[in-house]
Amino acid sequence: SHNFFDSGTFFFLDWSLVPTQNCSYLLSVVLYEHKEVYWVCFFFCSWIKACQSFIGWYFFSTQIQVIEDDKANKGSEPFTTGVRGQAPPLVTTKFQVKDQGNASPRYIRCTAYNMPCNSDMAKQSQVPLAAVIKPLAPLPPDETPPYLVDHGESGPIRCNRCKAYMCPYMQFIEGGRRFQCGFCSCVTEVPPHYFQHLDHTGKRVDCYDRPELSMGSYEFMATVDYCKNNKIPQPPAFIFLIDVSYNAVKNGMVGIVCQELKTLLDYLPRENPDVESNIRVGFVTYNKVLHFYNVKASLAQPQMMVVSDVADMFVPLLDGFLVNVSESRVVIESLLDQIPEMFADTRETETVFGPVIQAGLEALKAADCAGKLFVFHSSLPIAEAPGKLKNREDKKLVGTDKEKSLFQPQVSFYNTLAKECVVQGCCVDLFLFPNQYVDVATLGVVPTSTGGSIYKYTYFQASSDQERFLNDLRRDVQKPMGFDAVMRVRTSTGIRATDFFGSFYMSNTTDVELAGLDCDKTVTVEFRHDDKLSEETGALMQCAVLYTSCSGQRRLRIHNMAVNCCSQLADLYRNCETDTVINFFAKYAYRSVLSSPIKNVRDSLVNQCAQILACYRKNCASPSSAGQVTKCMKLLPVYLNCVLKSDVLQPGADISLDDRAYLRQLVSTMDVSESHVFFYPRLLPLQKLDVESISLPVAVRDSEERLSRGGVYLLENGLNIFLWVGVNAQQELLQNIFGTPAFGQIDPNMTSLPALDNPFSKRLREIIESVRAQRSRYMKLMVVKQEDKLELIFKHFLVEDKSNNGGASYVDFLCHMHKEIRQLLS
């Protein structure tokens, strides 16, 4: 068995090497499911006793088993949020939420639902204390969106001292005339119009009639005092800025965008589906110069105005640039028909980028409104203009101390521009169509500072990539969002928010400023102790987001969360949530690569994980508690290894610097369900698919040894979806899926399955669509035939195996972790 790591196969066990007294234990291991684990046990000993106390109870329960157990135990009953410190179902479990005073886990997930009472205990455990907050998260149809509370001109009721908003944690006293703040304990007078009597338990008699007194999440209508310059905001605007250089025209992007916008403009965000959207639209095209378009409803044809002085950008027209879609529909459609024709024969290859964002920003300033820029861009902006960039792609820096410079912007221009955009409420979404290096690390500064998104379609081909791009664009334009947002997280005495991760800007240490905030964006907040906490009172947090709705209303969205506090480490570990811990670790590590060598970042992650497990081993576990280890401890090593092997932290030779920068920025705003499947992809076996069942097949572990040569498997990670076909797959199976019984006749270039008239084909296509519907980005289907060249890409996502870029297999990593923990314990 000594060549186990290379072959991935276990050949024999030499029983003569194992002390007799341990044979019964080893036998129980051998009978267990996972052959790599019994090799680990044998490897560390004759010595099984030592191994039993550590490895034994950790890793015999796989993440697949934990996921399925959670579905069985927590998927059938609604999750009620009224119990403080109750850990929610896993993100992989489908469940219904009933709000009874704490925010739904769709809005807030914590790394630990039992916080240590003091900083010494937190430091000893090394478990990060953080919350992943998704303020505008979409809800399933069977859950009620947050109620909107309107207190009129007086505005929301707040604590006089800490300014926390009225919530279920406020205690009414003196017959209801005053309330004591749950966050800072200050006593505040109740305004006369808000007074209500208390019942025999001390609760207001109207408690359950008021969302802010009985629910974890709700909204307040904001008064003019909460508006910029004390003025009611104008409805926001969308501006579409389209690159019309040679590459953008040649690859078909320009034609596709213009054609799609003609219908997409009917689906702009709106509060009420029966009412027309208030959002105005404007259009710009550009290469080395910018073309603004007057699409005023009274014009017979659109008018173009060219600005060639890109060094001093201005908007050449005010009236007619931002218009109402229904009023100017004829002129807009004429423009969108003409743009592809106007630039069909262009030979201009150079582009600008900085002036493009400046143009949109100046237009929003002139209209005195917030809004979003949709920028469709194809190449490195090398034309002479502010924000001009050079090609700095240098793979020789990978693996050196200078590698961090590749993730940093190469000029400061875009940082300054991003700050100006945030002040105006100008959010930027960037759609990239590169054929070569475009410096995503620099071009992405403005989108990632304004709450925007980046979409990347490398080597874009209309025939194979159009479906993915158009689905992304449609969702991006239509999704609910807020503008000109400010978020603040308040906490009860004893802890405070100290660090923030995501796509936003901060001009001070407390306010998270987002020019735009959509339903997919998360902000991750880390907490630290500044005093002792009490087991009796627990710990409270309140996330308040002030934003402008798409109809122009100023609103406050409030999410409240109460967690328990504990003085025993066992209680802390029992209520950790691994997926959220990994989400935090990934974001912390991905931000650290901007300032530290990647080797240091990786070592720091391994060390913290080892300290968590060593502390658990030392303080919470005993040999008699085999099998009682918490879910968090079981799964931490396998998931952490996936983060360490990711392209950002351990790149292979074939991944570009742009892709690494793109993934780094993408992960910074992921919610917990997205990061879970991104780092540990879902692998579904299809050969025994029950076409009558509405549930998905049970996933298998991400390892090549789980793939049967006669099987078909679906793998997805939120960005890609693969259909892997074994070389010995049954003819009937292939006929049902592809319409051909021959493995050799399957077209590996297909991006959609044929709609065949059989139950298997119908059910498989339903599964693919349901998987896509769960993700925020459209996943292009890739068919991978076993032993084909594409299989190398597919195997990159089998994260339990040793990877081509040097990433350790799960077994290797367990061995390494065991060594680290033994050193810490000794």
Side-chain angles (χ1 to χ4, degrees):
S1 63
H2 294 297
N3 63 347
F4 175 80
F5 286 130
D6 297 324
S7 68
T9 308
F10 188 154
F11 293 102
F12 66 90
L13 253 176
D14 188 345
W15 292 91
S16 63
L17 297 178
V18 182
T20 309
Q21 66 267 31
N22 293 318
C23 284
S24 62
Y25 179 72
L26 241 180
L27 185 59
S28 71
V29 176
V30 170
L31 293 174
Y32 216 89
E33 179 187 354
H34 313 297
K35 56 189 174 188
E36 60 266 41
V37 177
Y38 38 93
W39 187 86
V40 171
C41 290
F42 170 67
F43 178 77
F44 280 128
C45 4
S46 324
W47 320 309
I48 293 296
K49 284 283 185 189
C51 201
Q52 179 181 0
S53 64
F54 178 72
I55 293 290
W57 42 247
Y58 265 16
F59 306 116
F60 289 158
S61 182
T62 70
Q63 65 281 10
I64 303 298
Q65 189 61 53
V66 169
I67 287 168
E68 291 305 312
D69 288 349
D70 194 77
K71 287 177 182 176
N73 296 332
K74 297 185 177 180
S76 55
E77 296 292 323
F79 175 71
T80 54
T81 69
V83 181
R84 188 181 78 189
Q86 179 183 213
L90 298 178
V91 289
T92 43
T93 298
K94 188 175 181 181
F95 61 97
Q96 185 189 28
V97 179
K98 290 193 174 176
D99 186 340
Q100 293 184 353
N102 278 315
S104 162
R106 306 195 202 286
Y107 295 124
I108 301 180
R109 278 190 177 262
C110 300
T111 54
Y113 289 85
N114 239 333
M115 279 200 174
C117 279
N118 57 66
S119 58
D120 290 341
M121 185 177 163
K123 189 175 181 181
Q124 183 185 3
S125 74
Q126 284 294 304
V127 173
L129 304 178
V132 179
I133 304 173
K134 194 175 184 181
L136 302 184
L139 300 178
D142 60 350
E143 291 179 22
T144 308
Y147 289 100
L148 180 59
V149 180
D150 188 355
H151 286 313
E153 291 183 9
S154 58
I157 313 299
R158 305 177 69 175
C159 168
N160 274 346
R161 183 196 290 162
C162 72
K163 302 301 179 187
Y165 293 89
M166 180 55 65
C167 67
Y169 315 139
M170 304 302 190
Q171 181 69 44
F172 287 87
I173 56 177
E174 297 178 18
R177 288 185 292 276
R178 305 170 89 187
F179 69 88
Q180 185 171 31
C181 177
F183 296 88
C184 70
S185 300
C186 175
V187 174
T188 301
E189 295 282 340
V190 174
H193 73 270
Y194 197 69
F195 172 79
Q196 187 53 271
H197 295 285
L198 307 184
D199 65 13
H200 66 284
T201 65
K203 281 187 175 181
R204 285 172 56 122
V205 296
D206 64 349
C207 173
Y208 295 105
D209 298 327
R210 291 189 177 272
E212 72 273 24
L213 299 180
S214 58
M215 308 195 79
S217 299
Y218 42 87
E219 289 197 322
F220 289 119
M221 284 287 285
T223 61
V224 71
D225 300 334
Y226 291 84
C227 300
K228 198 179 287 183
N229 302 323
N230 288 341
K231 279 171 51 183
I232 298 294
Q234 297 286 329
F238 282 0
I239 303 176
F240 299 90
L241 305 108
I242 306 168
D243 176 353
V244 289
S245 64
Y246 176 77
N247 284 337
V249 173
K250 185 183 175 187
N251 67 19
M253 179 271 281
V254 174
I256 291 169
V257 170
C258 291
Q259 184 62 33
E260 178 63 25
L261 287 180
K262 286 196 284 187
T263 51
L264 191 51
L265 294 178
D266 287 329
Y267 299 96
L268 298 175
R270 65 202 73 198
E271 308 263 346
N272 184 341
D274 300 324
V275 178
E276 195 176 283
S277 175
N278 288 344
I279 293 175
R280 293 167 293 166
V281 298
F283 303 89
V284 176
T285 56
Y286 67 94
N287 38 51
K288 276 201 321 190
V289 298
L290 276 74
H291 322 106
F292 292 80
Y293 297 94
N294 185 344
V295 283
K296 197 173 181 180
S298 57
L299 296 175
Q301 285 291 322
Q303 296 174 347
M304 177 200 281
M305 296 186 184
V306 180
V307 175
S308 53
D309 183 8
V310 291
D312 186 19
M313 184 47 59
F314 67 97
V315 180
L317 74 161
L318 296 178
D319 189 29
F321 179 66
L322 291 178
V323 297
N324 180 281
V325 173
S326 59
E327 292 173 7
S328 296
R329 177 174 302 282
V330 175
V331 190
I332 290 172
E333 291 195 356
S334 175
L335 170 66
L336 295 172
D337 284 335
Q338 289 177 40
I339 287 174
E341 296 171 8
M342 279 192 284
F343 299 99
D345 300 321
T346 185
R347 288 291 174 264
E348 184 55 73
T349 57
E350 292 188 355
T351 58
V352 296
F353 186 72
V356 177
I357 295 175
Q358 286 177 322
L361 173 60
E362 291 302 319
L364 294 178
K365 281 182 180 177
D368 192 25
C369 69
K372 184 191 268 195
L373 311 184
F374 296 83
V375 183
F376 304 90
H377 190 77
S378 67
S379 58
L380 190 71
I382 57 173
E384 205 57 51
K388 173 185 176 181
L389 301 179
K390 62 183 179 182
N391 190 331
R392 56 168 181 162
E393 187 175 31
D394 186 357
K395 290 219 168 182
K396 292 197 290 293
L397 297 182
V398 175
T400 71
D401 285 355
K402 292 184 178 178
E403 183 176 7
K404 59 178 178 280
S405 66
L406 300 173
F407 293 106
Q408 300 164 354
Q410 62 170 285
V411 292
S412 61
F413 169 84
Y414 291 102
N415 298 83
T416 307
L417 181 56
K419 184 177 179 181
E420 294 174 18
C421 286
V422 171
V423 170
Q424 182 57 39
C426 172
C427 174
V428 179
D429 279 0
L430 177 58
F431 293 80
L432 286 169
F433 303 84
N435 289 335
Q436 54 193 2
Y437 180 73
V438 290
D439 198 349
V440 174
T442 304
L443 297 187
V445 167
V446 178
T448 55
S449 301
T450 60
S453 304
I454 304 172
Y455 299 84
K456 187 166 177 283
Y457 310 91
T458 309
Y459 304 119
F460 179 80
Q461 291 181 318
S463 58
S464 58
D465 298 308
Q466 177 174 342
E467 183 182 19
R468 176 179 156 226
F469 163 55
L470 289 181
N471 275 280
D472 284 343
L473 177 60
R474 287 165 191 156
R475 190 176 189 282
D476 197 56
V477 169
Q478 296 175 42
K479 64 186 174 186
M481 70 174 295
F483 300 88
D484 206 7
V486 182
M487 171 176 146
R488 181 175 286 194
V489 177
R490 294 176 173 86
T491 54
S492 55
T493 306
I495 56 167
R496 59 191 173 89
T498 57
D499 209 351
F500 301 84
F501 303 82
S503 284
F504 51 76
Y505 179 80
M506 293 187 77
S507 56
N508 58 44
T509 57
T510 56
D511 292 336
V512 175
E513 299 172 49
L514 302 118
L517 174 63
D518 63 50
C519 60
D520 297 326
K521 294 294 183 299
T522 66
V523 176
T524 300
V525 185
E526 184 179 17
F527 302 99
R528 293 192 188 277
H529 289 78
D530 56 11
D531 204 346
K532 288 186 177 179
L533 294 169
S534 156
E535 287 187 72
E536 185 181 337
T537 57
L540 311 176
M541 66 186 84
Q542 182 181 82
C543 167
V545 182
L546 175 65
Y547 72 97
T548 302
S549 72
C550 56
S551 62
Q553 281 185 345
R554 204 70 174 143
R555 294 183 181 176
L556 282 152
R557 178 164 288 205
I558 311 296
H559 296 300
N560 302 290
M561 176 64 73
V563 297
N564 283 332
C565 295
C566 59
S567 54
Q568 300 296 317
L569 283 163
D571 294 330
L572 164 64
Y573 285 112
R574 194 176 298 114
N575 276 298
C576 285
E577 198 188 56
T578 330
D579 293 319
T580 313
V581 170
I582 290 296
N583 180 288
F584 174 82
F585 276 157
K587 289 172 180 176
Y588 188 88
Y590 279 24
R591 188 179 67 179
S592 298
V593 301
L594 293 171
S595 54
S596 303
I598 284 182
K599 183 182 184 304
N600 295 5
V601 175
R602 291 169 51 79
D603 289 348
S604 174
L605 274 180
V606 172
N607 183 49
Q608 188 166 358
C609 180
Q611 288 189 25
I612 291 172
L613 296 176
C615 179
Y616 182 90
R617 168 71 189 92
K618 183 178 180 181
N619 297 284
C620 310
S622 63
S624 62
S625 66
Q628 300 304 308
V629 68
T630 67
K631 289 184 296 188
C632 183
M633 297 305 101
K634 284 175 184 171
L635 305 186
L636 193 59
V638 66
Y639 289 155
L640 186 79
N641 189 39
C642 298
V643 176
L644 294 169
K645 292 167 67 171
S646 63
D647 289 325
V648 174
L649 297 184
Q650 191 158 30
D654 54 341
I655 184 159
S656 69
L657 298 175
D658 271 346
D659 279 337
R660 293 178 70 198
Y662 167 68
L663 292 174
R664 193 193 74 78
Q665 293 166 343
L666 194 62
V667 168
S668 71
T669 61
M670 279 186 178
D671 69 13
V672 180
S673 62
E674 288 173 324
S675 62
H676 169 85
V677 78
F678 176 77
F679 288 112
Y680 196 97
R682 179 161 55 162
L683 182 60
L684 303 174
L686 301 174
Q687 54 271 27
K688 295 180 182 178
L689 180 64
D690 181 358
V691 295
E692 301 296 327
S693 172
I694 59 169
S695 58
L696 294 177
V698 175
V700 295
R701 291 169 56 191
D702 290 343
S703 175
E704 188 174 359
E705 68 173 28
R706 301 286 157 171
L707 302 178
S708 158
R709 292 173 69 84
V712 177
Y713 298 80
L714 197 71
L715 183 144
E716 63 106 1
N717 74 337
L719 299 180
N720 312 93
I721 189 163
F722 298 92
L723 187 66
W724 183 89
V725 186
V727 71
N728 295 336
Q730 292 180 354
Q731 291 184 353
E732 182 185 5
L733 188 61
L734 299 182
Q735 182 72 48
N736 283 340
I737 298 172
F738 302 105
T740 174
F743 179 82
Q745 291 178 6
I746 297 170
D747 179 9
N749 297 316
M750 68 169 62
T751 55
S752 61
L753 296 178
L756 303 176
D757 187 17
N758 67 73
F760 195 99
S761 171
K762 184 171 181 284
R763 180 67 187 125
L764 177 53
R765 285 180 283 114
E766 284 174 356
I767 288 173
I768 291 172
E769 287 312 306
S770 72
V771 166
R772 281 174 172 158
Q774 293 170 20
R775 308 297 170 216
S776 61
R777 294 179 182 233
Y778 188 83
M779 295 181 289
K780 173 181 166 183
L781 177 69
M782 296 174 69
V783 175
V784 179
K785 297 164 69 175
Q786 187 177 11
E787 298 170 3
D788 196 23
K789 58 184 179 182
L790 269 180
E791 196 178 26
L792 268 181
I793 300 173
F794 174 79
K795 285 181 178 179
H796 179 65
F797 298 101
L798 299 178
V799 290
E800 289 202 22
D801 298 338
K802 188 173 182 177
S803 58
N804 289 333
N805 58 5
S809 69
Y810 177 32
V811 176
D812 283 354
F813 186 65
L814 281 187
C815 295
H816 179 65
M817 287 302 298
H818 181 68
K819 182 181 174 186
E820 293 281 322
I821 293 161
R822 290 297 294 267
Q823 284 180 346
L824 287 170
L825 290 175
S826 61

